[in-house]
Amino acid sequence: MNRGFGSDNHSPVHPWLFESLNQVNHHHAPSYGTDEFTLKAILKIRSVFDWKDLQVLFVFNGTAANVLALKTLCQSYQSVLVSDVSHLNVDECAAPEMVGRVKLIPLPSKQGKLQLKDLKQALIRRGDQHFSQVAGISITQPTELGTVYSPEELQEICRWAQAQGLFVHVDGARLHNALSFLKLSPADLFNKYQVDALSLGGTKNGFLFGEAVLFKKEHPEALYYRKQITQLPSKTRYIAAQFLAYYERQLFHEIAEHQHQLAQLLEKGLIERGICPEYPVQSNAVFVKLEPQWIKEIRKSHFFYVWDEHTKVCRLMMSWDSKVEDISSFLSQIDSLQGGLR
Amino acid sequence: MNRGFGSDNHSPVHPWLFESLNQVNHHHAPSYGTDEFTLKAILKIRSVFDWKDLQVLFVFNGTAANVLALKTLCQSYQSVLVSDVSHLNVDECAAPEMVGRVKLIPLPSKQGKLQLKDLKQALIRRGDQHFSQVAGISITQPTELGTVYSPEELQEICRWAQAQGLFVHVDGARLHNALSFLKLSPADLFNKYQVDALSLGGTKNGFLFGEAVLFKKEHPEALYYRKQITQLPSKTRYIAAQFLAYYERQLFHEIAEHQHQLAQLLEKGLIERGICPEYPVQSNAVFVKLEPQWIKEIRKSHFFYVWDEHTKVCRLMMSWDSKVEDISSFLSQIDSLQGGLR
Amino acid sequence: MNRGFGSDNHSPVHPWLFESLNQVNHHHAPSYGTDEFTLKAILKIRSVFDWKDLQVLFVFNGTAANVLALKTLCQSYQSVLVSDVSHLNVDECAAPEMVGRVKLIPLPSKQGKLQLKDLKQALIRRGDQHFSQVAGISITQPTELGTVYSPEELQEICRWAQAQGLFVHVDGARLHNALSFLKLSPADLFNKYQVDALSLGGTKNGFLFGEAVLFKKEHPEALYYRKQITQLPSKTRYIAAQFLAYYERQLFHEIAEHQHQLAQLLEKGLIERGICPEYPVQSNAVFVKLEPQWIKEIRKSHFFYVWDEHTKVCRLMMSWDSKVEDISSFLSQIDSLQGGLR
Amino acid sequence: MNRGFGSDNHSPVHPWLFESLNQVNHHHAPSYGTDEFTLKAILKIRSVFDWKDLQVLFVFNGTAANVLALKTLCQSYQSVLVSDVSHLNVDECAAPEMVGRVKLIPLPSKQGKLQLKDLKQALIRRGDQHFSQVAGISITQPTELGTVYSPEELQEICRWAQAQGLFVHVDGARLHNALSFLKLSPADLFNKYQVDALSLGGTKNGFLFGEAVLFKKEHPEALYYRKQITQLPSKTRYIAAQFLAYYERQLFHEIAEHQHQLAQLLEKGLIERGICPEYPVQSNAVFVKLEPQWIKEIRKSHFFYVWDEHTKVCRLMMSWDSKVEDISSFLSQIDSLQGGLR
């Protein structure tokens, strides 16, 4: 399959990450997270996020990270406020409810982002035994629409949540794209914004597989929940090794920057051609409405997904291995199609 | 960490399997099981097990495979008969009940194996709304104690189950060790014994990660359940590639044979030293009772687990990379300790 | 506590229903739904709803009836479209998700009623393993806001649902209020609208306790689910007896008519005083916005609930024992308060 | 149906309890446990059990009481040790696992009673993330086999449990039968034995319906769990009234004494006829093995259940309304059948 814009999980494993797998592939290592590489990776992550009490739990994939985070922070009579377009709400086949056993309360979003006024309005009936009690908020950064909460928005939401006794979870499947765009340090998350839990993505950032759940405080029961939701990896060293390389070799930064530059290039090219993306391009995704016949044509050479069946808004996703020539070639095809229209 | 007998998931990835990862690590591939390698691996597995309608679902690990199999075959008002020492019952932190939402009925076992008479006795109160209805049986082959159901035992249990309308699930985390010992073909499972579902292990057979659930008939809902239990792999090609190599390069057979030979060597050496293993050595595990002070001493150079805190029975597990010299060195240490006793 | 407008579950048991309890309170009767009164009540209900294959299951309360209906009609990878103000969504402390193990998709409602256009828009991503699959619709008749779906609205929704292969569940905690208002026969539900399941209320219609789930087709597993969700009544005869009296003595009609007349009387009185109810008064509830200081004052003598903390909309609920004088007295108090304002 | 020995839930409601329903059947009362009768009943129960901090939650039935107790005391990664013949394990259609989301570990029992040595042996792998962690013990008093833990047995188990940090739950569906037999005061339960939770039965003691969960300490979340498991009664006053009458009018004692006397009479009569009950008769049940042809014959006039399909052990259960003449008539029938054998 040609390189396309289908998803940042369509690309192969980044060579440095693949190399990291090879480097730990010798000797025996104890399983289930008790090996030396896992310990090293945890220490590295604590250092990157500058929070020494951070509990770090490796899991296989992003849905699991989200579910483990919420299951640990909530009881079954509690609920979590989420964006109506969040991965938790629409892309996890009800895993949060059925496996995480937490009710989600989807709220309207603006460019994928939760609005403080909606959060406030949803915080009702506290102490009413008939109503699943709101225990926290989950925000996606960057959002599923490629937009990014600004530092002010983050601050405002986190402060309000903390004042109300609500936890804040961040779904950061592509976290470093947002941090890079905002010029924020990872250390801000736990220090400045005081978030309680983070789903930290690997899979969509060039990993073979692997994500992590980061809790600000230690939750001893999270170890059992990880096992129970079937997400305790046997050979944890192979996830740990990738996280180590990702942070030690500055890949997190390099990949995010590269993807954002390409996304901007595409955005610019589209605007020049009179096609305006649906949302501000703030990470590695460009959402754009395309003619149905164009979609069919372009997808033959540059695969991508139609995001909304009704509106024909399409998602064009940059990967670590996306190239300037992919953008040029895509835009050329637009040119031809526009020419054909005249 | 030195090579030891801790577990067959302590060893590194087999070089041929690691190579298979590298071979698919290029170009883009669609995610979530829709790539060409996944299709090839499915076809290969169907051919190995000689069952053309086989539904094959890749997942990350063994607990997930078991949970997905049972969740698909059962409703929440149904239960499954299992051995009291089964992985399902004692090593999955209640994932079958909480995520698979099926009740387990643990039965006494003999050398890890379910006995037909106990199964018969447990099949009670059919149609009684107060009693969780028995829907099937799960057998582990080889068992957690390294023993193997004989073809006659398998036949007897499967026939009885089918006559009673019960499904048969096989937990085959180390399946090929059993098949190899019994000189059975994988094709027998679905053709001769008519089992309904198989958890087919990769992780404990030299894989970096990856298992499969095999259903005799297609269950369309299993796709949704896989996603819901957080086990839909994004980059499925990396699991598929390993299964392809495992079967195309006859690794399944080679590893099983190698492990069994070493286990027998160890068994023989122990018997010669007057130490009789607890169970017949029929796969890659040797269970043996050791003196507490020996345990402490030997584990320094050859790591292994004490299986039963009370009886001090220890488990010595062969891996694909175990060597004859590991056995010799272990036995020498026994010799020294026995000498020291005199 | 004085008679008020708090809820139709604040009133005592209707004397005829209480009498029915006494009438079966002799001799032994087998438990768990196998007694003669239960059989009689089932036959009576089948006759009232004119559907001979109706499966009738008695349970203790309304939340249970809803949960049992949805649990029986759905698998855990499926979801149900509901109104955002539905009892299922906001008054059952996530029982549908946690015990019924079904995802709810709340849709905006108009006067409490689901709109066909919203239902259509929500029916997306069919066959997509990442998305909990919509399996059905639950409508509340009358709604939580006291409004009633018209026959045309019902027809439209039911036909569309059936064309799409979706089930239709009706939460009928106060069903006969709606039927009475619409001059519809109970027989229309299963015959004309072809609904698949009905939660049929008793508690809010003068019963001591007791509800029923009615399925158009028999679902043998529903018996087990009822027991599992802890809702199999031991002494079922006492629920059955009430349903028998309710239908044999035409109480269902009498209570509904009485309540509606009083609600209309109140509506009329309010309008005459320049206070317009929030929604059309179509059953036994009147929703009206009242001044905060009035609320405090009036609740001393006529208890009622503030429905919306933000808007101060209040709910005034008629019971089987509500009296014309309760309305007069309530309106007089309004008069005094309005006088006091001048 | 004639009076028989089928179950203590086959009998009608005790007249004093029925009367109590009538006594509260006037005026409006707030719902969901906020009425004055509920408060009074809670105070009465606190006084009977002599524990002022007792949290008392009324529910509809016994399965619900058990599930609510365990759900409140356990997390989903924890398990509870129970007798293999316990109602929790074999008569609740997996409600404890599926709704209470707790794993049960069934242990062998002696005359229905858990043995300390088995409890000790089952308390393994504490802190092992693969193993569902034992959090408590549930004992049934009297047991499902009509036997009673002695004060010494209770003491021994409770002390051990407390020393190990395990909670103790008592399933007391027929509690006062045991207390009466042992001449123990209800106050001993929380004061002397320090049990953490009690399922206190009403249904099997002459109530129309209604049970209570009693927690030694307050668990605020239990209110939400009660609602979520569909067990928050609307018209709680009708459960409260029965508990008030049960305790104020000493019915708990009277019924227990009466039932035990009759059970002893039956035991004596059977022994005189050479038929030895299977277990000591210590409450209101007599278990006895009967000839298959006798069973058929006797059940025509005195209904009872065959408890074990294989062994033909039958359960003969006394109710509050059982009479001396029922015993005489049953024994006469035995005489005739024995005569017929000669």
Side-chain angles (χ1 to χ4, degrees):
Chain A
M1 187 190 186
N2 288 337
R3 233 175 15 243
F5 304 113
S7 178
D8 34 13
N9 64 26
H10 285 195
S11 47
V13 181
H14 189 286
W16 294 359
L17 296 170
F18 199 91
E19 193 188 322
S20 77
L21 297 172
N22 204 13
Q23 278 166 356
V24 298
N25 197 39
H26 55 77
H27 289 85
H28 278 204
S31 44
Y32 305 120
T34 56
D35 63 288
E36 59 178 312
F37 308 105
T38 298
L39 179 58
K40 270 188 209 165
I42 290 174
L43 294 176
K44 182 68 192 171
I45 289 173
R46 282 186 187 149
S47 146
V48 167
F49 287 89
D50 191 26
W51 195 261
K52 71 177 169 43
D53 295 327
L54 213 53
Q55 183 180 23
V56 180
L57 293 151
F58 295 118
V59 294
F60 292 110
N61 64 358
T63 294
N66 283 341
V67 168
L68 179 55
L70 299 192
K71 193 180 182 86
T72 301
L73 295 172
C74 288
Q75 294 297 323
S76 74
Y77 67 92
Q78 295 178 320
S79 49
V80 179
L81 304 176
V82 298
S83 152
D84 53 358
V85 300
S86 62
H87 197 268
L88 275 159
N89 191 41
V90 297
D91 291 304
E92 303 187 352
C93 203
E97 291 94 341
M98 301 307 141
V99 177
R101 50 109 183 91
V102 57
K103 185 177 172 86
L104 300 182
I105 299 185
L107 300 181
S109 57
K110 199 172 156 187
Q111 298 185 336
K113 294 187 275 183
L114 285 165
Q115 303 297 301
L116 185 58
K117 72 169 171 45
D118 295 318
L119 293 169
K120 284 181 176 173
Q121 202 150 11
L123 191 63
I124 53 169
R125 300 174 66 180
R126 303 189 88 175
D128 173 351
Q129 63 184 332
H130 298 262
F131 190 75
S132 173
Q133 298 291 297
V134 177
I137 300 173
S138 176
I139 62 177
T140 315
Q141 177 79 323
T143 71
E144 288 75 9
L145 303 180
T147 54
V148 166
Y149 287 86
S150 72
E152 295 69 33
E153 288 169 330
L154 275 182
Q155 187 78 288
E156 193 184 53
I157 288 177
C158 292
R159 280 202 185 150
W160 174 77
Q162 281 132 20
Q164 298 294 337
L166 305 178
F167 70 76
V168 177
H169 165 253
V170 175
D171 180 350
R174 300 174 177 104
L175 180 75
H176 289 292
N177 284 298
L179 296 184
S180 178
F181 174 78
L182 296 171
K183 316 277 182 231
L184 280 182
S185 155
D188 287 342
L189 275 175
F190 295 96
N191 286 282
K192 187 167 172 194
Y193 300 111
Q194 302 273 332
V195 309
D196 298 279
L198 169 68
S199 298
L200 177 63
T203 314
K204 285 171 176 162
N205 304 289
F207 284 42
L208 193 145
F209 72 127
E211 318 270 313
V213 183
L214 277 54
F215 290 110
K216 199 175 159 210
K217 288 181 199 163
E218 203 190 337
H219 298 267
E221 69 276 24
L223 290 170
Y224 299 101
Y225 287 140
R226 176 172 60 174
K227 173 66 196 179
Q228 185 170 90
I229 67 167
T230 75
Q231 285 283 334
L232 175 57
S234 284
K235 303 182 177 175
T236 325
R237 60 173 139 169
Y238 298 100
I239 298 180
Q242 293 177 84
F243 271 107
L244 266 173
Y246 186 60
Y247 284 117
E248 285 181 348
R249 303 182 71 172
Q250 305 294 320
L251 263 179
F252 70 100
H253 184 68
E254 186 179 298
I255 291 175
E257 287 290 297
H258 172 73
Q259 291 177 341
H260 185 51
Q261 281 166 18
L262 290 191
Q264 281 181 310
L265 197 65
L266 178 57
E267 178 191 31
K268 188 164 162 283
L270 286 167
I271 292 174
E272 286 169 2
R273 281 154 185 84
I275 300 166
C276 188
E278 295 292 305
Y279 313 110
V281 172
Q282 300 174 329
S283 59
N284 61 330
V286 179
F287 285 79
V288 66
K289 203 175 288 178
L290 294 175
E291 298 294 323
Q293 64 273 38
W294 290 18
I295 292 171
K296 205 178 152 192
E297 199 55 40
I298 308 178
R299 277 175 32 138
K300 288 180 194 162
S301 42
H302 304 84
F303 184 77
F304 57 84
Y305 286 104
V306 178
W307 195 249
D308 185 315
E309 305 167 20
H310 300 303
T311 61
K312 301 299 170 194
V313 168
C314 301
R315 187 187 73 167
L316 302 161
M317 205 71 173
M318 304 301 123
S319 253
W320 69 264
D321 69 339
S322 297
K323 300 256 178 311
V324 173
E325 68 220 51
D326 302 338
I327 308 293
S328 323
S329 144
F330 179 90
L331 291 172
S332 299
Q333 211 169 351
I334 296 277
D335 289 337
S336 308
L337 289 160
Q338 285 187 326
L341 284 181
R342 282 174 210 133
Chain B
M1 188 189 186
N2 288 337
R3 229 168 28 235
F5 304 114
S7 177
D8 34 12
N9 65 26
H10 284 196
S11 47
V13 182
H14 189 285
W16 294 0
L17 296 170
F18 199 91
E19 191 188 323
S20 77
L21 297 172
N22 204 14
Q23 279 166 355
V24 299
N25 196 39
H26 54 77
H27 288 86
H28 278 205
S31 43
Y32 305 119
T34 56
D35 63 288
E36 58 178 314
F37 307 105
T38 298
L39 179 58
K40 268 188 211 166
I42 290 174
L43 294 176
K44 181 68 193 172
I45 289 172
R46 281 186 186 148
S47 146
V48 166
F49 288 88
D50 191 27
W51 195 261
K52 71 176 170 42
D53 295 327
L54 212 55
Q55 185 181 21
V56 179
L57 294 151
F58 295 118
V59 294
F60 292 110
N61 63 357
T63 295
N66 284 341
V67 167
L68 179 55
L70 299 192
K71 192 178 181 89
T72 301
L73 295 172
C74 288
Q75 294 298 323
S76 74
Y77 67 92
Q78 295 177 321
S79 50
V80 179
L81 304 177
V82 298
S83 152
D84 51 359
V85 300
S86 63
H87 198 268
L88 275 159
N89 191 41
V90 296
D91 291 304
E92 302 186 352
C93 203
E97 291 94 340
M98 301 307 141
V99 177
R101 51 107 185 90
V102 58
K103 186 178 172 85
L104 301 182
I105 300 185
L107 299 181
S109 56
K110 199 172 156 187
Q111 298 186 335
K113 295 188 274 183
L114 286 164
Q115 305 296 302
L116 185 57
K117 71 170 173 44
D118 296 317
L119 293 168
K120 284 182 175 172
Q121 201 152 9
L123 191 64
I124 52 169
R125 301 173 65 178
R126 304 189 88 173
D128 172 351
Q129 63 184 331
H130 298 261
F131 191 75
S132 174
Q133 298 291 296
V134 178
I137 299 172
S138 176
I139 61 177
T140 315
Q141 177 77 325
T143 70
E144 287 76 9
L145 303 180
T147 55
V148 165
Y149 287 86
S150 72
E152 294 70 32
E153 287 168 331
L154 275 181
Q155 187 79 289
E156 193 184 53
I157 288 177
C158 292
R159 280 204 185 147
W160 174 77
Q162 281 133 21
Q164 297 294 338
L166 305 178
F167 70 75
V168 177
H169 165 254
V170 175
D171 180 351
R174 302 175 175 104
L175 180 74
H176 290 293
N177 284 298
L179 297 184
S180 178
F181 174 78
L182 296 170
K183 316 278 181 229
L184 280 182
S185 154
D188 288 341
L189 274 176
F190 296 97
N191 286 281
K192 187 167 171 196
Y193 300 110
Q194 302 273 333
V195 309
D196 298 279
L198 170 68
S199 298
L200 178 61
T203 313
K204 286 171 175 161
N205 305 287
F207 284 43
L208 193 143
F209 73 127
E211 317 270 315
V213 183
L214 278 54
F215 289 111
K216 197 174 161 210
K217 289 181 197 162
E218 203 189 337
H219 298 267
E221 69 277 23
L223 289 170
Y224 299 101
Y225 287 140
R226 176 172 61 174
K227 173 66 196 178
Q228 185 170 92
I229 67 166
T230 76
Q231 284 283 336
L232 176 57
S234 285
K235 303 181 177 175
T236 325
R237 60 172 139 168
Y238 298 100
I239 297 179
Q242 294 176 83
F243 271 108
L244 267 172
Y246 185 61
Y247 284 117
E248 285 181 348
R249 302 181 73 172
Q250 305 294 318
L251 263 180
F252 70 101
H253 184 67
E254 186 179 299
I255 291 175
E257 287 289 298
H258 171 73
Q259 291 177 341
H260 185 50
Q261 281 165 17
L262 290 191
Q264 281 181 310
L265 197 64
L266 178 57
E267 179 192 29
K268 189 164 161 283
L270 286 167
I271 291 173
E272 285 169 3
R273 282 155 184 83
I275 301 166
C276 187
E278 297 291 305
Y279 313 112
V281 173
Q282 300 175 330
S283 59
N284 60 330
V286 179
F287 285 79
V288 66
K289 203 176 289 180
L290 293 176
E291 299 294 324
Q293 64 272 38
W294 292 17
I295 292 172
K296 205 178 151 192
E297 199 56 38
I298 309 180
R299 279 179 24 143
K300 288 180 193 165
S301 42
H302 303 86
F303 184 77
F304 58 84
Y305 285 104
V306 177
W307 195 249
D308 185 315
E309 305 167 20
H310 300 302
T311 60
K312 301 300 172 192
V313 167
C314 301
R315 186 187 74 168
L316 301 161
M317 205 72 174
M318 305 300 122
S319 253
W320 68 264
D321 69 338
S322 296
K323 300 258 180 308
V324 173
E325 67 223 49
D326 302 339
I327 308 293
S328 322
S329 145
F330 179 89
L331 291 173
S332 298
Q333 213 168 349
I334 296 276
D335 288 338
S336 309
L337 289 161
Q338 285 187 324
L341 284 182
R342 281 174 213 131
Chain C
M1 188 189 186
N2 287 337
R3 229 170 27 237
F5 305 114
S7 177
D8 34 12
N9 64 26
H10 284 195
S11 47
V13 181
H14 189 285
W16 294 0
L17 296 171
F18 198 91
E19 193 187 321
S20 77
L21 297 172
N22 205 13
Q23 280 166 353
V24 299
N25 197 39
H26 54 77
H27 288 86
H28 279 204
S31 45
Y32 305 120
T34 56
D35 63 288
E36 60 178 312
F37 308 105
T38 298
L39 180 58
K40 269 189 209 165
I42 290 173
L43 294 175
K44 181 68 192 171
I45 290 173
R46 282 186 186 147
S47 147
V48 166
F49 287 89
D50 191 27
W51 195 261
K52 71 176 170 43
D53 296 327
L54 213 54
Q55 184 181 21
V56 179
L57 293 151
F58 295 118
V59 294
F60 291 109
N61 64 358
T63 295
N66 284 341
V67 167
L68 178 56
L70 299 192
K71 193 179 181 86
T72 301
L73 295 172
C74 289
Q75 295 296 324
S76 73
Y77 66 92
Q78 295 178 319
S79 50
V80 179
L81 304 176
V82 298
S83 152
D84 52 359
V85 301
S86 62
H87 198 268
L88 274 160
N89 191 41
V90 297
D91 291 305
E92 302 186 352
C93 203
E97 292 93 340
M98 301 306 141
V99 177
R101 51 108 184 90
V102 56
K103 185 178 172 86
L104 301 181
I105 299 184
L107 299 181
S109 56
K110 199 172 158 187
Q111 298 185 338
K113 295 187 275 182
L114 285 165
Q115 304 297 301
L116 186 58
K117 71 168 174 42
D118 296 317
L119 292 169
K120 284 182 177 171
Q121 202 151 10
L123 191 62
I124 52 170
R125 300 174 65 180
R126 303 189 90 174
D128 173 350
Q129 62 184 333
H130 298 261
F131 190 74
S132 173
Q133 297 292 296
V134 177
I137 300 173
S138 176
I139 62 178
T140 315
Q141 177 79 324
T143 71
E144 287 76 10
L145 303 180
T147 55
V148 166
Y149 287 86
S150 73
E152 295 70 32
E153 288 169 330
L154 275 182
Q155 186 78 288
E156 194 184 53
I157 288 176
C158 292
R159 280 202 185 149
W160 174 77
Q162 281 132 21
Q164 298 294 336
L166 304 178
F167 70 76
V168 177
H169 164 253
V170 175
D171 179 352
R174 302 176 175 104
L175 179 75
H176 290 291
N177 285 298
L179 297 184
S180 179
F181 175 78
L182 296 171
K183 316 276 182 233
L184 280 182
S185 155
D188 287 343
L189 274 176
F190 296 96
N191 287 281
K192 188 168 171 193
Y193 301 111
Q194 302 272 333
V195 310
D196 298 278
L198 168 68
S199 298
L200 177 62
T203 314
K204 286 170 175 162
N205 303 288
F207 284 43
L208 193 145
F209 72 128
E211 317 271 313
V213 182
L214 277 55
F215 290 110
K216 199 174 159 211
K217 289 180 199 164
E218 204 191 337
H219 298 267
E221 69 277 24
L223 289 170
Y224 298 101
Y225 287 140
R226 177 172 59 174
K227 173 67 196 178
Q228 185 170 89
I229 67 166
T230 76
Q231 284 285 335
L232 175 58
S234 284
K235 303 182 176 175
T236 326
R237 59 172 140 169
Y238 298 99
I239 297 180
Q242 294 177 82
F243 271 108
L244 266 173
Y246 186 61
Y247 284 117
E248 284 180 349
R249 302 181 73 172
Q250 305 293 319
L251 263 179
F252 70 101
H253 184 68
E254 187 180 297
I255 291 175
E257 286 290 296
H258 171 73
Q259 291 177 341
H260 185 51
Q261 281 165 17
L262 290 190
Q264 281 181 309
L265 198 64
L266 178 58
E267 178 191 31
K268 188 163 161 285
L270 286 167
I271 291 173
E272 286 168 2
R273 282 153 184 84
I275 300 166
C276 187
E278 296 292 305
Y279 313 111
V281 173
Q282 300 175 330
S283 59
N284 61 331
V286 180
F287 285 79
V288 66
K289 203 176 289 181
L290 293 176
E291 298 295 324
Q293 63 273 39
W294 290 18
I295 292 172
K296 204 178 152 192
E297 199 56 39
I298 309 178
R299 279 179 25 142
K300 289 179 193 164
S301 42
H302 303 85
F303 184 77
F304 57 84
Y305 285 104
V306 178
W307 196 248
D308 185 313
E309 305 167 20
H310 300 302
T311 61
K312 301 298 170 192
V313 168
C314 302
R315 186 187 75 166
L316 301 161
M317 205 71 173
M318 305 300 123
S319 252
W320 68 264
D321 69 339
S322 296
K323 300 259 178 306
V324 173
E325 67 222 50
D326 302 338
I327 308 294
S328 322
S329 146
F330 179 90
L331 290 172
S332 297
Q333 213 170 349
I334 295 277
D335 289 338
S336 309
L337 288 161
Q338 285 188 324
L341 284 182
R342 281 174 212 132
Chain D
M1 188 191 187
N2 288 337
R3 230 172 22 240
F5 304 113
S7 176
D8 33 12
N9 64 27
H10 285 196
S11 48
V13 182
H14 189 285
W16 294 0
L17 296 170
F18 198 92
E19 193 188 320
S20 76
L21 297 172
N22 205 13
Q23 279 167 354
V24 299
N25 197 39
H26 55 77
H27 289 85
H28 277 204
S31 44
Y32 306 119
T34 56
D35 63 288
E36 58 177 313
F37 308 105
T38 298
L39 180 58
K40 269 189 210 164
I42 290 174
L43 293 176
K44 181 68 192 170
I45 289 173
R46 282 185 187 150
S47 146
V48 166
F49 287 90
D50 191 27
W51 195 260
K52 71 177 171 42
D53 295 328
L54 213 55
Q55 185 181 21
V56 179
L57 293 152
F58 295 119
V59 295
F60 291 109
N61 63 358
T63 295
N66 284 341
V67 167
L68 179 54
L70 298 192
K71 194 181 180 86
T72 301
L73 295 172
C74 289
Q75 295 297 323
S76 75
Y77 66 92
Q78 295 178 321
S79 49
V80 179
L81 305 177
V82 298
S83 151
D84 52 359
V85 300
S86 62
H87 198 268
L88 275 160
N89 191 41
V90 297
D91 291 304
E92 303 186 351
C93 203
E97 291 94 340
M98 300 307 140
V99 177
R101 48 108 186 91
V102 57
K103 184 177 173 86
L104 301 182
I105 299 185
L107 300 182
S109 56
K110 199 172 156 187
Q111 298 186 336
K113 295 187 274 183
L114 285 164
Q115 304 296 301
L116 185 59
K117 71 169 174 43
D118 295 317
L119 293 169
K120 284 183 176 171
Q121 200 151 12
L123 191 63
I124 52 169
R125 299 174 67 180
R126 304 189 88 175
D128 173 350
Q129 63 184 331
H130 298 262
F131 190 74
S132 174
Q133 298 291 297
V134 177
I137 300 173
S138 177
I139 62 178
T140 316
Q141 176 80 323
T143 71
E144 288 76 10
L145 303 181
T147 54
V148 166
Y149 287 85
S150 72
E152 295 70 33
E153 287 169 330
L154 275 181
Q155 186 78 289
E156 193 184 53
I157 288 177
C158 292
R159 279 203 186 148
W160 174 77
Q162 282 133 19
Q164 298 295 337
L166 305 178
F167 70 76
V168 177
H169 164 254
V170 174
D171 179 351
R174 301 175 176 104
L175 180 74
H176 289 291
N177 284 298
L179 296 184
S180 179
F181 174 77
L182 297 171
K183 316 279 182 227
L184 280 183
S185 155
D188 288 342
L189 274 175
F190 295 97
N191 286 280
K192 188 167 171 194
Y193 300 111
Q194 302 273 332
V195 310
D196 298 279
L198 169 68
S199 298
L200 177 62
T203 314
K204 286 171 175 161
N205 304 288
F207 283 43
L208 193 145
F209 72 127
E211 317 270 314
V213 182
L214 278 54
F215 290 110
K216 198 174 159 210
K217 290 180 198 164
E218 204 190 338
H219 298 267
E221 69 276 25
L223 289 170
Y224 299 101
Y225 287 140
R226 176 173 61 174
K227 174 66 195 178
Q228 186 170 90
I229 67 166
T230 76
Q231 284 283 335
L232 176 58
S234 285
K235 302 181 176 175
T236 325
R237 59 173 140 170
Y238 298 100
I239 297 179
Q242 293 177 84
F243 271 107
L244 267 172
Y246 186 61
Y247 284 117
E248 285 181 348
R249 302 182 72 172
Q250 305 293 321
L251 264 179
F252 70 101
H253 184 67
E254 187 180 295
I255 291 176
E257 287 289 298
H258 171 73
Q259 292 177 341
H260 185 51
Q261 282 164 18
L262 290 190
Q264 282 180 309
L265 198 65
L266 178 57
E267 179 192 29
K268 189 164 159 283
L270 286 167
I271 291 173
E272 287 169 2
R273 282 153 185 83
I275 300 166
C276 188
E278 296 292 305
Y279 313 111
V281 173
Q282 301 175 329
S283 60
N284 61 330
V286 179
F287 286 79
V288 66
K289 204 175 287 179
L290 294 175
E291 299 294 324
Q293 64 273 36
W294 289 16
I295 292 171
K296 205 177 153 192
E297 199 56 39
I298 309 179
R299 279 177 25 140
K300 288 180 193 164
S301 42
H302 303 86
F303 183 77
F304 57 84
Y305 285 104
V306 177
W307 195 249
D308 185 315
E309 305 168 19
H310 300 301
T311 60
K312 301 299 172 193
V313 168
C314 301
R315 186 187 74 167
L316 302 162
M317 204 72 172
M318 306 300 122
S319 252
W320 68 265
D321 70 338
S322 297
K323 301 258 180 306
V324 173
E325 67 220 52
D326 302 339
I327 308 293
S328 322
S329 145
F330 179 91
L331 291 172
S332 298
Q333 213 168 350
I334 296 276
D335 289 338
S336 309
L337 288 161
Q338 286 187 324
L341 285 181
R342 283 174 211 133

